[in-house]
Amino acid sequence: MKALVTVAVLLLATGAVIVHAQDAMVSAGQAAFKESGCYNCHTIGKVGTPLASDLSHIGSKYPPDYMARWLRDPALQRPSAHMPALELTDAQVQALAAYLGSLQ
């Protein structure tokens, strides 16, 4: 019984660490969105410029792995895309994908 309680506590602690790491990734992605100038073309809520897609609910349409591929090379995902290829690090791509994925 004591071993079961220990395992349960460890699982709960691990879950809390994962949630915290995901929250940190989303926050980093939100910062990268601002710093990369994404608001110059996109809107989220009432913030941004409506030249391109409103991304307010993009996370309910596409999974983060698709958004990461899109961020790495938009034209490869859709040749008619008007979005330019951005010079992003892998960390920025992952953070942006996590942030966009959180927008439900």
Side-chain angles (χ1 to χ4, degrees), residues 8-39:
V9 169
L10 287 173
L11 287 173
L12 287 172
T14 302
V17 169
I18 291 169
V19 168
H20 178 70
Q22 182 65 19
D23 289 346
M25 182 73 81
V26 169
S27 293
Q30 186 175 22
F33 193 88
K34 292 175 185 174
E35 293 164 4
S36 297
C38 301
Y39 280 119

Side-chain angles (χ1 to χ4, degrees), residues 42-96:
H42 293 282
T43 55
I44 294 178
K46 295 181 180 184
V47 179
T49 307
L51 295 175
S53 305
D54 178 349
L55 301 177
S56 299
H57 304 287
I58 194 76
S60 65
K61 297 177 185 177
Y62 302 103
D65 63 319
Y66 173 82
M67 288 186 271
R69 289 191 310 271
W70 175 271
L71 290 164
R72 284 189 185 97
D73 192 350
L76 183 63
Q77 301 306 307
R78 188 172 59 192
S80 63
H82 294 289
M83 183 169 155
L86 303 171
E87 292 185 27
L88 300 169
T89 66
D90 272 347
Q92 288 172 314
V93 167
Q94 293 306 315
L96 279 165

